[in-house]
Amino acid sequence: MPRFAADKLVGYAAALLQAAGLSPARARTVAEILVEGDLFGHTTHGLQLLPGYLKEIDSGDMTVSGDPETLADTGPAVTWDGRRLPGPWLVVQALDLASQRAVQYGTATVVIRRSHHIACLAAYLKRATDRGLAIILASSDPAGASVTPHGGIGRLMTPNPLAAGWPTTSGPVLLDVSMSTTTNGLTNRCHAEGKPLPHPWLIDGHGEPTADASAYFADPPGAILPLGGLDLGHKGYALGLMIEMMTSALGGYGRADGATGWGASVFLQVFDPDAFGGRDAFLRETGWLADKAHSIPPRPGAPPVRLPGEGGLKRRAEQLRNGVDLYAGIGESLEPWAARFGVEPPEAMSAAG
């Protein structure tokens, strides 16, 4: 498959977003976050999202100008109304603010209600860990429901991902985990391609487990199981409820308000280790655990034990060197927008030499 230079993909995406109505700086930020998702291998939450974002701008469902409204600001705790501004841009602004405030207060939290979709949560983490900070990031979509509560059949919540990152002496730990067995993006992709999911991560409309993605769209509709599946789904269900509390409840706006439109409620918290037990002690502990994890013998036939994020960081480094391997169909889905706006698609590295 052809590969594309990451910076060329960022430029291409930014040009499309700018032509659609975003300012150059905001278009660049959104483009960087989308391509970062692809670099880490989260292909359902990278440039695959761009046609949907462009459509939302076109319809007026994504706000292109102005700033978030500050609803509360106590110093270390801030609440914004995101006014359906581009989610990646909003989260980067919130991360910059929380990072500055964390140095001042030790920790700082920004909660955003009525953000537009925020793409891949893992794409933000290095922006904190590269500064020597720790971060927790979570999101939900109060207008969507795709995940069933444990023991139920109907849909209640979204996958509600939780991401976190922190530095160690040998590189950051980066995690991005949904509180569901799979994501809406993968379910939609498998359905569109007529492929089964890798495992029975859904229940059909009668409550039976299935790997058939079409069951989600059937009548009666299916649902995504909470993390842990039929056996241990009480854990994912409980954690999903916690994410709802951290995002929509703290933001003061969510499902109880009849939220509509593709969007997100967001929780972002940053910690400065210097304000707690000290940076040296922090790194001594996180580094010890990292080294100990690597020293644990793998079970027979399994690869060596690794830390969360190591695979993604390795993939990111390889794709920065050799080009991004875009998932099939993503480039084609952007061609109508490129033709409409007169933006030239990037040339594949294999063709460009």
Side-chain angles (χ1 to χ4, degrees):
M1 295 294 293
R3 289 184 173 233
F4 300 87
D7 60 337
K8 300 297 184 184
L9 288 177
V10 171
Y12 179 45
L16 291 172
L17 288 160
Q18 187 176 342
L22 290 186
S23 69
R26 296 186 185 194
R28 180 81 185 183
T29 296
V30 174
E32 288 174 348
I33 293 298
L34 292 178
V35 173
E36 190 79 352
D38 284 306
L39 285 169
F40 272 99
H42 299 285
T43 61
T44 59
H45 284 66
L47 286 175
Q48 180 166 301
L49 295 167
L50 183 53
Y53 284 13
L54 294 170
K55 184 178 179 181
E56 291 282 287
I57 295 172
D58 204 38
S59 67
D61 290 327
M62 182 188 291
T63 305
V64 298
S65 61
D67 295 311
E69 178 186 357
T70 300
L71 302 176
D73 186 348
T74 66
V78 179
T79 305
W80 285 349
D81 185 327
R83 299 179 48 249
R84 297 191 57 76
L85 288 158
W89 178 79
L90 275 173
V91 174
V92 169
Q93 304 312 301
L95 176 53
D96 287 344
L97 176 62
S99 298
Q100 295 165 10
R101 297 280 182 94
V103 173
Q104 180 180 0
Y105 296 106
T107 184
T109 304
V110 180
V111 175
I112 311 171
R113 71 187 198 189
R114 295 206 314 135
S115 169
H116 206 283
H117 189 263
I118 69 169
C120 173
L121 272 62
Y124 302 94
L125 304 179
K126 278 183 86 284
R127 291 174 179 250
T129 60
D130 285 352
R131 304 176 188 180
L133 304 172
I135 178 174
I136 296 174
L137 176 62
S139 72
S140 63
D141 184 352
S146 55
V147 180
T148 188
H150 184 61
I153 296 177
R155 303 174 184 179
L156 176 64
M157 294 180 289
T158 36
N160 293 5
L162 174 69
W166 58 90
T168 77
T169 52
S170 57
V173 173
L174 308 173
L175 65 93
D176 183 351
V177 183
S178 289
M179 303 303 108
S180 57
T181 53
T182 188
T183 63
N184 295 325
L186 185 58
T187 303
N188 292 335
R189 174 182 284 178
C190 288
H191 175 62
E193 296 179 355
K195 297 178 180 178
L197 289 157
H199 299 282
W201 290 334
L202 309 179
I203 54 170
D204 63 22
H206 306 286
E208 296 298 321
T210 180
D212 182 1
S214 66
Y216 180 86
F217 303 92
D219 186 14
I224 299 173
L225 286 165
L227 184 66
L230 293 178
D231 293 335
L232 299 173
H234 60 285
K235 298 184 179 183
Y237 170 44
L239 290 168
L241 288 173
M242 182 187 74
I243 301 300
E244 296 279 331
M245 175 276 294
M246 294 164 63
T247 56
S248 290
L250 284 180
Y253 177 84
R255 300 182 188 280
D257 298 285
T260 59
W262 187 25
S265 297
V266 183
F267 173 96
L268 187 152
Q269 189 168 28
V270 176
F271 306 87
D272 182 0
D274 281 328
F276 293 87
R279 183 169 304 276
D280 290 343
F282 180 91
L283 292 174
R284 183 176 67 248
E285 178 66 16
T286 60
W288 186 94
L289 281 170
D291 292 341
K292 186 64 175 179
H294 286 141
S295 73
I296 297 293
R299 60 185 179 82
V305 174
R306 66 187 188 193
L307 294 169
E310 282 186 343
L313 287 166
K314 182 178 179 180
R315 190 177 299 111
R316 180 180 186 273
E318 186 275 327
Q319 293 200 103
L320 283 173
R321 288 193 307 269
N322 302 318
V324 179
D325 185 10
L326 278 186
Y327 191 85
I330 291 177
E332 291 79 359
S333 70
L334 291 170
E335 287 176 357
W337 294 99
R340 173 179 169 181
F341 294 135
V343 175
E344 189 69 26
E347 193 173 357
M349 291 178 68
S350 58

